[in-house]
Coordinates of all heavy atoms in Angstrom, one line a residue:
M16 N 12.3 10.9 -39.3 CA 11.0 11.2 -39.2 C 10.7 11.6 -37.8 O 11.3 11.1 -36.9 CB 10.1 9.8 -39.4 CG 10.2 9.3 -40.9 SD 9.4 7.8 -41.0 CE 10.2 6.7 -40.3
P17 N 10.0 12.8 -37.7 CA 9.7 13.3 -36.3 C 8.7 12.3 -35.5 O 7.7 11.8 -36.1 CB 8.9 14.6 -36.6 CG 8.4 14.5 -38.0 CD 9.3 13.5 -38.7
V18 N 9.0 12.1 -34.3 CA 8.1 11.3 -33.5 C 8.0 11.9 -32.2 O 8.7 12.9 -31.7 CB 8.7 10.0 -33.2 CG1 8.8 9.1 -34.5 CG2 10.1 9.9 -32.4
R19 N 6.8 11.6 -31.4 CA 6.6 11.9 -30.0 C 6.7 10.7 -29.2 O 6.2 9.7 -29.6 CB 5.2 12.6 -30.0 CG 4.8 13.3 -28.8 CD 3.5 13.9 -28.8 NE 3.6 15.1 -29.6 CZ 4.0 16.3 -29.4 NH1 4.5 16.5 -28.2 NH2 4.1 17.3 -30.2
L20 N 7.1 10.9 -28.0 CA 7.3 9.8 -27.1 C 7.0 10.0 -25.7 O 7.0 11.2 -25.3 CB 8.7 9.1 -27.2 CG 10.0 9.9 -26.8 CD1 10.2 9.5 -25.3 CD2 11.1 9.4 -27.6
W21 N 6.4 9.1 -25.0 CA 6.1 9.2 -23.6 C 6.8 8.1 -22.9 O 6.8 7.0 -23.2 CB 4.6 8.9 -23.3 CG 3.8 10.1 -23.9 CD1 3.2 11.2 -23.3 CD2 3.2 10.2 -25.3 NE1 2.5 11.9 -24.0 CE2 2.6 11.3 -25.4 CE3 3.4 9.4 -26.4 CZ2 1.9 11.8 -26.6 CZ3 2.9 9.8 -27.6 CH2 2.1 11.0 -27.7
I22 N 7.4 8.3 -21.6 CA 7.9 7.3 -20.8 C 6.7 6.9 -19.9 O 5.8 7.6 -19.4 CB 9.0 7.8 -19.9 CG1 10.1 8.4 -20.8 CG2 9.4 6.8 -19.0 CD1 11.1 9.1 -20.0
A23 N 6.6 5.5 -19.8 CA 5.6 4.9 -19.1 C 5.4 5.5 -17.7 O 6.5 5.6 -17.0 CB 5.8 3.4 -18.9
G24 N 4.2 5.7 -17.4 CA 3.8 6.3 -16.1 C 3.9 7.8 -16.0 O 3.7 8.5 -15.0
S25 N 4.4 8.5 -17.2 CA 4.4 10.0 -17.3 C 3.4 10.5 -18.3 O 3.2 9.8 -19.3 CB 5.8 10.3 -17.6 OG 5.9 11.8 -17.9
E26 N 2.8 11.6 -18.0 CA 1.9 12.2 -19.0 C 2.7 13.3 -20.0 O 2.2 13.8 -21.0 CB 1.0 12.9 -18.3 CG -0.1 12.0 -17.8 CD -1.2 12.7 -17.1 OE1 -1.5 13.9 -17.5 OE2 -1.9 12.0 -16.2
D27 N 4.1 13.5 -19.6 CA 4.8 14.5 -20.4 C 5.3 13.8 -21.7 O 5.9 12.8 -21.7 CB 6.1 14.9 -19.5 CG 5.7 15.7 -18.3 OD1 4.6 16.3 -18.3 OD2 6.6 15.5 -17.3
S28 N 5.1 14.5 -22.7 CA 5.6 14.0 -24.1 C 6.9 14.6 -24.5 O 7.2 15.7 -24.0 CB 4.5 14.2 -25.2 OG 4.4 15.5 -25.4
H29 N 7.7 14.1 -25.4 CA 9.0 14.5 -25.7 C 9.2 14.4 -27.2 O 8.6 13.4 -27.8 CB 10.1 13.7 -25.0 CG 10.1 13.7 -23.7 ND1 10.7 14.7 -22.9 CD2 9.5 12.8 -22.7 CE1 10.5 14.4 -21.6 NE2 9.7 13.4 -21.5
L30 N 9.8 15.3 -27.9 CA 10.0 15.1 -29.3 C 11.4 14.4 -29.6 O 12.3 14.7 -28.9 CB 9.9 16.5 -30.0 CG 8.7 17.2 -29.7 CD1 8.8 18.7 -30.5 CD2 7.5 16.4 -30.6
A31 N 11.4 13.7 -30.6 CA 12.8 13.1 -31.2 C 12.6 12.8 -32.6 O 11.5 13.3 -33.3 CB 13.0 11.8 -30.4
H32 N 13.6 12.2 -33.2 CA 13.4 11.9 -34.6 C 14.1 10.5 -34.9 O 15.0 10.1 -34.1 CB 14.1 13.0 -35.6 CG 15.5 13.2 -35.2 ND1 15.9 14.2 -34.3 CD2 16.6 12.6 -35.8 CE1 17.2 14.2 -34.4 NE2 17.7 13.2 -35.2
T33 N 13.6 9.8 -35.8 CA 14.3 8.5 -36.1 C 15.6 8.6 -36.9 O 15.7 9.5 -37.8 CB 13.2 7.7 -37.0 OG1 13.0 8.3 -38.2 CG2 12.0 7.3 -36.2
L34 N 16.4 7.7 -36.5 CA 17.8 7.7 -37.2 C 17.9 6.4 -38.1 O 18.3 6.3 -39.2 CB 18.9 7.7 -36.3 CG 19.0 8.9 -35.4 CD1 20.1 8.7 -34.4 CD2 19.4 10.1 -36.5
D35 N 16.9 5.3 -37.6 CA 16.8 4.1 -38.3 C 15.6 3.4 -37.7 O 15.4 3.4 -36.5 CB 18.1 3.2 -38.0 CG 18.2 2.0 -39.0 OD1 17.5 1.9 -39.9 OD2 19.1 1.1 -38.7
V36 N 14.9 2.7 -38.5 CA 13.7 1.9 -38.2 C 13.7 0.6 -38.7 O 14.2 0.2 -39.7 CB 12.3 2.6 -38.5 CG1 12.3 4.0 -37.8 CG2 12.2 2.8 -40.0
S37 N 13.1 -0.4 -38.0 CA 12.8 -1.8 -38.5 C 11.5 -2.2 -37.9 O 10.8 -1.5 -37.2 CB 14.0 -2.7 -38.2 OG 13.9 -3.0 -36.7
N38 N 11.2 -3.5 -38.3 CA 9.9 -4.1 -37.7 C 10.2 -4.3 -36.2 O 9.2 -4.5 -35.4 CB 9.6 -5.5 -38.4 CG 9.4 -5.2 -39.8 OD1 8.8 -4.2 -40.3 ND2 9.8 -6.2 -40.7
H39 N 11.4 -4.4 -35.7 CA 11.7 -4.8 -34.4 C 12.2 -3.8 -33.5 O 12.4 -4.1 -32.3 CB 12.6 -5.9 -34.5 CG 12.2 -7.2 -35.3 ND1 11.4 -8.0 -34.9 CD2 12.6 -7.6 -36.4 CE1 11.1 -8.9 -35.8 NE2 11.8 -8.7 -36.7
G40 N 12.5 -2.6 -34.0 CA 13.0 -1.6 -33.1 C 13.3 -0.3 -33.9 O 12.8 -0.2 -35.1
V41 N 13.8 0.7 -33.1 CA 14.0 2.1 -33.7 C 15.2 2.6 -33.0 O 15.6 2.3 -31.8 CB 12.8 3.0 -33.4 CG1 12.6 3.1 -32.0 CG2 13.0 4.3 -34.1
Q42 N 16.0 3.5 -33.7 CA 17.1 4.2 -33.2 C 16.6 5.7 -33.4 O 16.3 6.1 -34.4 CB 18.4 4.0 -34.0 CG 19.5 4.8 -33.6 CD 20.9 4.6 -34.2 OE1 21.0 3.7 -35.0 NE2 21.9 5.4 -33.8
L43 N 16.6 6.3 -32.2 CA 16.2 7.7 -32.1 C 17.3 8.6 -31.8 O 18.2 8.4 -31.1 CB 15.0 8.0 -31.1 CG 13.8 7.1 -31.1 CD1 13.0 7.2 -29.8 CD2 13.0 7.5 -32.3
G44 N 17.1 10.0 -32.5 CA 18.1 11.0 -32.1 C 17.4 12.3 -31.6 O 16.1 12.3 -31.7
G45 N 18.0 13.1 -31.0 CA 17.5 14.4 -30.7 C 16.7 14.4 -29.4 O 16.0 15.4 -29.0
Y46 N 16.8 13.4 -28.6 CA 16.0 13.3 -27.4 C 16.8 14.2 -26.3 O 18.0 14.0 -26.1 CB 15.8 11.9 -26.9 CG 15.1 11.6 -25.5 CD1 13.9 12.0 -25.6 CD2 15.9 11.5 -24.4 CE1 13.1 11.9 -24.4 CE2 15.1 11.3 -23.3 CZ 13.8 11.5 -23.2 OH 13.2 11.4 -22.0
R47 N 16.1 14.9 -25.5 CA 16.8 15.7 -24.4 C 16.4 15.4 -23.0 O 16.7 16.2 -22.2 CB 16.6 17.2 -24.7 CG 17.1 17.5 -26.1 CD 17.0 19.1 -26.4 NE 17.5 19.6 -27.6 CZ 18.9 20.0 -27.8 NH1 19.6 19.9 -26.8 NH2 19.2 20.2 -29.0
G48 N 15.5 14.5 -22.8 CA 15.0 14.2 -21.5 C 15.8 13.2 -20.9 O 16.8 12.8 -21.2
E49 N 15.2 12.7 -19.6 CA 15.9 11.7 -18.9 C 15.1 10.4 -18.9 O 13.9 10.3 -18.9 CB 15.9 12.1 -17.3 CG 16.7 13.3 -17.0 CD 18.2 13.0 -17.3 OE1 18.6 11.9 -17.0 OE2 18.8 14.0 -17.8
M50 N 15.8 9.3 -19.2 CA 15.3 8.0 -19.2 C 16.4 7.1 -18.9 O 17.6 7.4 -19.0 CB 14.5 7.6 -20.4 CG 15.3 7.4 -21.7 SD 14.4 6.7 -23.1 CE 13.2 8.1 -23.3
K51 N 16.1 5.8 -18.6 CA 17.2 4.9 -18.4 C 16.9 3.5 -19.2 O 15.7 3.3 -19.7 CB 17.3 4.6 -16.9 CG 16.1 3.9 -16.4 CD 16.2 3.9 -14.8 CE 15.0 3.4 -14.0 NZ 13.8 4.2 -14.3
V52 N 17.9 2.8 -19.4 CA 17.8 1.4 -20.0 C 16.8 0.6 -19.3 O 16.7 0.6 -18.1 CB 19.2 0.8 -20.1 CG1 19.0 -0.7 -20.7 CG2 20.1 1.5 -21.1
G53 N 15.8 0.0 -20.0 CA 14.8 -0.9 -19.6 C 13.5 -0.2 -19.3 O 12.4 -0.8 -19.1
D54 N 13.6 1.2 -19.5 CA 12.3 1.9 -19.4 C 11.3 1.6 -20.6 O 11.8 1.2 -21.7 CB 12.5 3.5 -19.4 CG 12.8 4.2 -18.2 OD1 12.9 3.4 -17.1 OD2 13.2 5.2 -18.1
E55 N 10.0 1.5 -20.4 CA 9.1 1.2 -21.4 C 8.6 2.6 -21.8 O 8.4 3.6 -21.0 CB 7.9 0.4 -20.9 CG 8.4 -1.0 -20.7 CD 7.3 -2.1 -20.5 OE1 6.2 -1.7 -20.8 OE2 7.6 -3.3 -20.2
I56 N 8.5 2.8 -23.2 CA 8.1 4.1 -23.8 C 7.1 3.8 -24.8 O 6.9 2.8 -25.4 CB 9.2 4.9 -24.3 CG1 10.0 4.1 -25.5 CG2 10.3 5.2 -23.3 CD1 11.1 4.9 -26.2
V57 N 6.3 4.8 -25.1 CA 5.4 4.8 -26.2 C 5.8 5.8 -27.3 O 6.0 6.9 -27.0 CB 3.9 5.2 -25.7 CG1 2.9 5.3 -27.0 CG2 3.3 4.2 -24.7
I58 N 5.9 5.2 -28.5 CA 6.4 6.2 -29.5 C 5.2 6.4 -30.6 O 4.4 5.4 -30.9 CB 7.6 5.6 -30.3 CG1 8.8 5.4 -29.4 CG2 7.8 6.4 -31.5 CD1 10.0 4.9 -30.1
Q59 N 5.0 7.6 -30.9 CA 3.9 7.9 -31.8 C 4.5 8.6 -33.0 O 5.2 9.5 -33.0 CB 2.9 8.9 -31.3 CG 1.8 9.3 -32.2 CD 0.8 10.4 -31.6 OE1 0.5 10.2 -30.4 NE2 0.3 11.3 -32.3
Y60 N 4.1 7.9 -34.2 CA 4.4 8.5 -35.5 C 3.2 8.7 -36.2 O 2.4 7.8 -36.4 CB 5.4 7.5 -36.3 CG 5.6 8.0 -37.8 CD1 6.3 9.2 -37.9 CD2 5.2 7.3 -38.9 CE1 6.5 9.6 -39.3 CE2 5.4 7.7 -40.1 CZ 6.1 8.8 -40.4 OH 6.3 9.3 -41.7
R61 N 3.0 9.9 -36.7 CA 1.7 10.3 -37.2 C 0.8 10.1 -36.2 O 0.6 10.6 -35.1 CB 1.4 9.8 -38.6 CG 2.5 10.3 -39.6 CD 2.2 10.0 -40.9 NE 3.1 10.4 -41.9 CZ 3.4 10.1 -43.1 NH1 2.7 8.9 -43.6 NH2 4.2 10.7 -43.7
R62 N -0.3 9.1 -36.6 CA -1.5 8.9 -35.7 C -1.4 7.5 -34.9 O -2.2 7.0 -34.2 CB -2.7 9.0 -36.3 CG -3.1 10.4 -36.8 CD -4.4 10.5 -37.2 NE -4.6 11.9 -37.4 CZ -5.5 12.5 -38.3 NH1 -6.2 11.6 -39.1 NH2 -5.6 13.8 -38.6
T63 N -0.3 6.7 -35.2 CA 0.1 5.3 -34.8 C 1.1 5.3 -33.6 O 2.0 6.0 -33.6 CB 0.5 4.5 -36.0 OG1 -0.3 4.6 -37.0 CG2 0.5 3.0 -35.5
Q64 N 0.7 4.6 -32.6 CA 1.5 4.5 -31.4 C 1.9 3.0 -31.2 O 1.0 2.1 -31.6 CB 0.7 5.0 -30.2 CG 0.4 6.5 -30.1 CD -0.2 6.8 -28.8 OE1 -0.6 5.9 -28.0 NE2 -0.5 8.2 -28.7
A65 N 3.0 2.6 -30.6 CA 3.3 1.5 -30.1 C 4.2 1.4 -29.1 O 4.9 2.6 -28.7 CB 4.1 0.6 -31.3
Q66 N 4.3 0.3 -28.2 CA 5.1 0.4 -27.0 C 6.6 -0.3 -27.4 O 6.7 -1.2 -28.2 CB 4.5 -0.5 -25.9 CG 3.2 0.1 -25.4 CD 2.7 -0.8 -24.2 OE1 3.0 -1.9 -24.1 NE2 1.8 -0.1 -23.5
F67 N 7.5 0.4 -26.7 CA 9.0 -0.1 -26.9 C 9.6 -0.2 -25.6 O 9.2 0.4 -24.5 CB 9.6 1.1 -27.8 CG 9.2 1.1 -29.2 CD1 8.1 1.7 -29.6 CD2 10.1 0.6 -30.1 CE1 7.7 1.8 -31.0 CE2 9.7 0.6 -31.6 CZ 8.5 1.2 -31.9
R68 N 10.8 -0.8 -25.5 CA 11.6 -0.9 -24.4 C 12.9 -0.4 -24.7 O 13.5 -0.8 -25.8 CB 11.7 -2.3 -23.8 CG 12.6 -2.4 -22.5 CD 12.7 -3.7 -22.0 NE 11.6 -4.2 -21.5 CZ 10.8 -5.3 -22.0 NH1 11.3 -5.9 -23.0 NH2 9.6 -5.6 -21.5
V69 N 13.6 0.5 -24.0 CA 14.8 1.1 -24.2 C 15.9 0.1 -24.1 O 16.0 -0.4 -23.0 CB 15.0 2.4 -23.3 CG1 16.4 2.9 -23.5 CG2 14.0 3.4 -23.5
A70 N 16.7 -0.1 -25.0 CA 17.8 -1.1 -24.9 C 19.2 -0.5 -24.7 O 20.0 -1.0 -24.1 CB 17.8 -1.9 -26.3
W71 N 19.3 0.9 -25.2 CA 20.6 1.6 -24.9 C 20.5 3.0 -25.2 O 19.5 3.4 -25.7 CB 21.7 1.0 -25.8 CG 21.5 1.1 -27.3 CD1 21.0 0.0 -28.2 CD2 21.5 2.1 -28.2 NE1 20.8 0.4 -29.3 CE2 21.1 1.7 -29.5 CE3 22.0 3.4 -28.0 CZ2 21.2 2.6 -30.6 CZ3 22.0 4.2 -29.2 CH2 21.5 3.8 -30.5
I72 N 21.3 3.7 -24.4 CA 21.2 5.2 -24.6 C 22.7 5.7 -24.6 O 23.6 5.2 -23.9 CB 20.7 5.8 -23.3 CG1 19.1 5.3 -23.1 CG2 20.6 7.4 -23.3 CD1 18.7 5.8 -21.8
T73 N 22.8 6.7 -25.6 CA 24.2 7.2 -25.7 C 24.1 8.7 -25.8 O 23.1 9.3 -26.3 CB 25.1 6.8 -27.1 OG1 24.3 7.2 -28.1 CG2 25.4 5.2 -26.9
A74 N 24.9 9.5 -25.0 CA 24.8 11.0 -25.0 C 25.8 11.4 -26.1 O 26.9 10.9 -26.3 CB 25.4 11.4 -23.6
R75 N 25.4 12.5 -26.8 CA 26.1 13.1 -27.7 C 27.3 13.9 -27.1 O 26.9 14.7 -26.2 CB 25.2 14.0 -28.6 CG 24.2 13.2 -29.4 CD 24.3 13.1 -30.9 NE 25.2 13.9 -31.5 CZ 25.0 14.7 -32.6 NH1 23.9 14.8 -33.1 NH2 25.9 15.4 -33.1
E76 N 28.4 14.0 -27.7 CA 29.6 14.8 -27.0 C 29.2 16.3 -27.1 O 28.7 16.7 -28.2 CB 30.8 14.4 -27.7 CG 32.0 14.9 -27.0 CD 33.4 14.4 -27.6 OE1 33.4 13.3 -28.0 OE2 34.3 15.3 -27.6
N77 N 29.4 17.1 -26.1 CA 29.2 18.4 -26.0 C 27.7 18.9 -26.5 O 27.5 19.8 -27.1 CB 30.2 19.1 -27.0 CG 31.6 18.9 -26.5 OD1 31.9 19.0 -25.4 ND2 32.5 18.8 -27.5
S78 N 26.8 18.0 -26.0 CA 25.3 18.3 -26.3 C 24.5 17.7 -25.2 O 24.9 16.7 -24.7 CB 25.1 17.7 -27.7 OG 23.7 17.7 -28.1
S79 N 23.3 18.2 -25.1 CA 22.3 17.6 -24.2 C 21.6 16.5 -25.0 O 20.7 15.9 -24.2 CB 21.4 18.7 -23.6 OG 20.7 19.3 -24.6
E80 N 21.7 16.4 -26.3 CA 21.0 15.5 -27.0 C 21.5 14.0 -26.7 O 22.7 13.8 -26.5 CB 21.0 15.7 -28.5 CG 20.3 16.9 -29.0 CD 20.3 17.0 -30.5 OE1 20.6 16.0 -31.1 OE2 19.9 18.1 -30.9
K81 N 20.5 13.1 -26.7 CA 20.8 11.7 -26.7 C 20.2 10.8 -27.8 O 19.3 11.2 -28.4 CB 20.2 11.2 -25.4 CG 20.9 11.8 -24.0 CD 20.0 11.3 -22.8 CE 20.5 12.1 -21.6 NZ 19.6 13.1 -21.2
Q82 N 21.0 9.7 -28.1 CA 20.4 8.8 -29.2 C 20.1 7.6 -28.3 O 20.5 7.1 -27.2 CB 21.5 8.3 -30.1 CG 21.9 9.5 -31.0 CD 22.9 9.0 -32.0 OE1 23.3 7.8 -32.1 NE2 23.4 9.9 -32.9
I83 N 18.8 7.0 -28.7 CA 18.3 5.8 -27.9 C 17.9 4.7 -28.9 O 17.4 5.0 -30.1 CB 16.9 6.3 -27.3 CG1 17.1 7.5 -26.4 CG2 16.0 5.3 -26.7 CD1 15.9 8.3 -26.2
G84 N 18.3 3.5 -28.5 CA 17.9 2.4 -29.2 C 16.9 1.6 -28.4 O 16.8 1.4 -27.1
A85 N 15.7 1.3 -29.1 CA 14.6 0.7 -28.3 C 13.9 -0.4 -29.1 O 13.8 -0.4 -30.3 CB 13.4 1.8 -28.2
E86 N 13.7 -1.5 -28.4 CA 13.0 -2.7 -29.0 C 11.6 -2.5 -29.1 O 10.9 -2.2 -28.0 CB 13.5 -3.8 -28.1 CG 12.7 -5.2 -28.5 CD 12.9 -6.2 -27.3 OE1 13.5 -5.9 -26.2 OE2 12.6 -7.3 -27.6
C87 N 10.8 -2.8 -30.2 CA 9.4 -2.7 -30.3 C 8.7 -3.9 -29.5 O 9.1 -5.1 -29.7 CB 9.0 -2.8 -31.7 SG 7.2 -2.6 -31.9
L88 N 7.9 -3.6 -28.6 CA 7.1 -4.7 -27.7 C 5.9 -5.1 -28.6 O 5.2 -6.0 -28.1 CB 6.8 -4.1 -26.5 CG 8.0 -3.7 -25.6 CD1 7.7 -3.1 -24.3 CD2 9.0 -4.8 -25.3
E89 N 5.4 -4.5 -29.7 CA 4.5 -4.7 -30.5 C 4.8 -4.8 -32.0 O 4.4 -4.1 -32.8 CB 3.3 -3.6 -30.3 CG 2.8 -3.5 -29.0 CD 1.8 -2.4 -28.8 OE1 2.2 -1.2 -28.6 OE2 0.5 -2.6 -29.0
P90 N 5.7 -5.9 -32.3 CA 6.2 -5.8 -33.7 C 5.2 -6.0 -34.7 O 5.4 -5.7 -35.9 CB 7.2 -7.1 -33.5 CG 6.9 -7.8 -32.5 CD 6.2 -6.9 -31.4
G91 N 4.0 -6.5 -34.4 CA 3.0 -6.6 -35.5 C 2.4 -5.4 -35.9 O 1.7 -5.2 -37.0
K92 N 2.5 -4.3 -35.0 CA 1.9 -3.0 -35.4 C 2.8 -2.3 -36.3 O 4.0 -2.4 -36.4 CB 1.9 -2.1 -34.1 CG 0.7 -2.0 -33.5 CD 0.5 -0.9 -32.5 CE -0.8 -0.7 -31.9 NZ -0.9 0.2 -30.8
Q93 N 2.2 -1.7 -37.5 CA 2.9 -1.1 -38.4 C 3.0 0.4 -38.1 O 2.3 1.3 -38.7 CB 2.2 -1.3 -39.8 CG 2.1 -2.8 -40.2 CD 1.5 -3.1 -41.6 OE1 1.3 -2.2 -42.3 NE2 1.1 -4.2 -41.7
V94 N 3.9 0.7 -37.1 CA 4.1 2.1 -36.6 C 4.5 2.9 -37.9 O 4.1 4.1 -38.0 CB 5.0 2.2 -35.6 CG1 5.3 3.7 -35.0 CG2 4.7 1.3 -34.4
W95 N 5.4 2.6 -38.7 CA 6.1 3.3 -39.8 C 5.3 3.2 -41.0 O 5.7 3.8 -42.0 CB 7.4 2.8 -39.9 CG 8.2 2.6 -38.6 CD1 8.6 1.6 -38.1 CD2 8.4 3.7 -37.6 NE1 9.1 1.6 -36.9 CE2 9.0 3.0 -36.5 CE3 8.1 5.0 -37.5 CZ2 9.4 3.4 -35.4 CZ3 8.5 5.5 -36.2 CH2 9.0 4.8 -35.2
G96 N 4.1 2.7 -41.0 CA 3.3 2.6 -42.2 C 3.4 1.4 -43.1 O 2.5 1.2 -43.9
E97 N 4.4 0.7 -42.8 CA 4.5 -0.7 -43.7 C 5.5 -1.6 -42.9 O 6.2 -1.1 -42.0 CB 5.1 -0.4 -45.0 CG 6.5 0.3 -44.9 CD 7.1 0.6 -46.3 OE1 6.6 1.7 -46.8 OE2 7.9 -0.1 -46.8
L98 N 5.3 -2.8 -43.2 CA 6.3 -3.8 -42.6 C 7.5 -3.8 -43.5 O 7.4 -3.7 -44.8 CB 5.7 -5.1 -42.5 CG 4.7 -5.5 -41.4 CD1 4.1 -6.8 -41.4 CD2 5.4 -5.3 -39.9
F99 N 8.8 -3.9 -43.0 CA 10.0 -4.1 -43.8 C 10.3 -5.5 -44.1 O 10.0 -6.4 -43.3 CB 11.1 -3.4 -43.0 CG 10.8 -2.0 -42.8 CD1 10.4 -1.5 -41.5 CD2 11.0 -0.9 -43.7 CE1 10.2 -0.2 -41.2 CE2 10.7 0.4 -43.5 CZ 10.3 0.7 -42.3
P100 N 10.8 -5.8 -45.2 CA 11.3 -7.3 -45.5 C 12.2 -7.6 -44.6 O 13.2 -6.9 -44.1 CB 11.7 -7.2 -47.1 CG 12.0 -5.7 -47.3 CD 11.2 -4.9 -46.4
E101 N 12.1 -8.9 -44.1 CA 13.2 -9.5 -43.3 C 14.3 -9.8 -44.0 O 14.5 -10.2 -45.1 CB 12.8 -10.8 -42.7 CG 11.4 -10.7 -41.8 CD 11.7 -10.0 -40.5 OE1 12.9 -10.0 -39.9 OE2 10.9 -9.2 -39.9
Q102 N 15.6 -9.4 -43.4 CA 16.9 -9.7 -44.0 C 17.8 -10.4 -43.0 O 17.5 -10.3 -41.7 CB 17.6 -8.3 -44.1 CG 16.7 -7.5 -45.2 CD 17.5 -6.1 -45.5 OE1 18.3 -5.8 -44.8 NE2 17.0 -5.5 -46.5
S103 N 18.6 -11.3 -43.4 CA 19.3 -12.0 -42.5 C 20.5 -11.1 -42.1 O 20.9 -10.1 -42.6 CB 20.0 -13.3 -43.4 OG 20.9 -12.6 -44.3
D104 N 21.0 -11.5 -41.0 CA 21.9 -10.6 -40.1 C 23.2 -10.8 -40.9 O 23.8 -11.9 -41.2 CB 22.1 -11.1 -38.8 CG 23.1 -10.4 -37.8 OD1 23.8 -9.4 -38.5 OD2 23.0 -10.3 -36.7
E105 N 23.9 -9.7 -41.4 CA 25.0 -9.8 -42.2 C 26.1 -10.2 -41.4 O 27.2 -10.6 -42.0 CB 25.3 -8.4 -42.9 CG 25.6 -7.3 -41.8 CD 25.8 -5.9 -42.4 OE1 24.8 -5.3 -43.0 OE2 26.9 -5.4 -42.5
Y106 N 26.1 -10.3 -40.1 CA 27.2 -10.8 -39.3 C 27.2 -12.1 -38.9 O 28.1 -12.7 -38.3 CB 27.4 -9.9 -38.0 CG 27.5 -8.4 -38.3 CD1 26.5 -7.5 -38.1 CD2 28.8 -7.9 -38.8 CE1 26.7 -6.1 -38.5 CE2 28.9 -6.5 -39.0 CZ 27.8 -5.7 -38.9 OH 28.0 -4.4 -39.2
E107 N 26.1 -13.0 -39.3 CA 25.9 -14.3 -39.0 C 26.9 -15.1 -39.8 O 27.2 -14.7 -41.0 CB 24.5 -14.7 -39.2 CG 23.5 -14.4 -38.3 CD 22.2 -14.8 -38.6 OE1 22.1 -15.8 -39.6 OE2 21.2 -14.5 -38.1
E108 N 27.5 -16.1 -39.3 CA 28.4 -16.9 -40.0 C 27.8 -17.5 -41.2 O 26.7 -18.1 -41.0 CB 29.1 -17.9 -39.1 CG 30.1 -17.4 -38.1 CD 31.0 -18.3 -37.4 OE1 31.1 -19.5 -37.9 OE2 31.3 -18.0 -36.2
K109 N 28.4 -17.6 -42.3 CA 27.8 -18.2 -43.4 C 28.4 -19.6 -43.5 O 29.5 -19.8 -43.2 CB 28.2 -17.5 -44.8 CG 27.9 -15.9 -44.6 CD 26.9 -15.7 -45.7 CE 26.6 -14.1 -45.8 NZ 25.7 -13.5 -45.0
E110 N 27.5 -20.6 -44.0 CA 28.0 -22.0 -44.2 C 28.5 -22.3 -45.5 O 28.2 -21.8 -46.4 CB 26.8 -22.9 -43.8 CG 26.3 -22.9 -42.5 CD 25.1 -23.8 -42.1 OE1 25.1 -24.9 -42.8 OE2 24.4 -23.5 -41.3

């Protein structure tokens, strides 16, 4: 899904797209600007906005595009239009 984002303290907006979304975070692709881990950003999807914190950034090989993982600081907000069902972590040890 296409999104617009702003880095806290900046009025410049950037375009990106979602690769994966959940109630607690998002993975973005197609970002071409500068940011660092720990930055707070605002992501807008359609007319809804929420605050996120950048958890990780990876650069694509031979490209100026970056992928970003961000934690939602407002998990109660339904940025994507609905809440997703909670699922247990598939990597947790089973009893």
Side-chain angles (χ1 to χ4, degrees):
M16 300 178 285
V18 297
R19 184 171 299 277
L20 63 94
W21 294 263
I22 300 171
S25 173
E26 294 184 15
D27 297 333
S28 68
H29 303 272
L30 297 175
H32 58 271
T33 60
L34 298 172
D35 194 12
V36 298
S37 74
N38 297 328
H39 305 288
V41 64
Q42 181 179 353
L43 300 173
Y46 179 73
R47 295 183 183 268
E49 293 296 322
M50 76 171 58
K51 59 188 180 302
V52 171
D54 281 350
E55 290 191 12
I56 60 175
V57 174
I58 296 176
Q59 177 179 327
Y60 173 63
R61 295 186 177 164
R62 294 187 177 153
T63 306
Q64 296 181 352
Q66 294 185 341
F67 290 76
R68 179 177 297 116
V69 177
W71 54 265
I72 302 170
T73 59
R75 302 237 358 222
E76 192 172 322
N77 299 323
S78 174
S79 61
E80 287 188 14
K81 298 176 183 93
Q82 290 185 1
I83 299 165
E86 167 191 18
C87 186
L88 300 176
E89 300 177 273
K92 256 191 175 173
Q93 297 180 19
V94 178
W95 316 117
E97 62 183 77
L98 285 174
F99 299 100
E101 291 294 326
Q102 296 178 350
S103 62
D104 188 343
E105 63 186 66
Y106 300 106
E107 288 181 5
E108 287 188 31
K109 309 246 189 265
E110 291 183 29

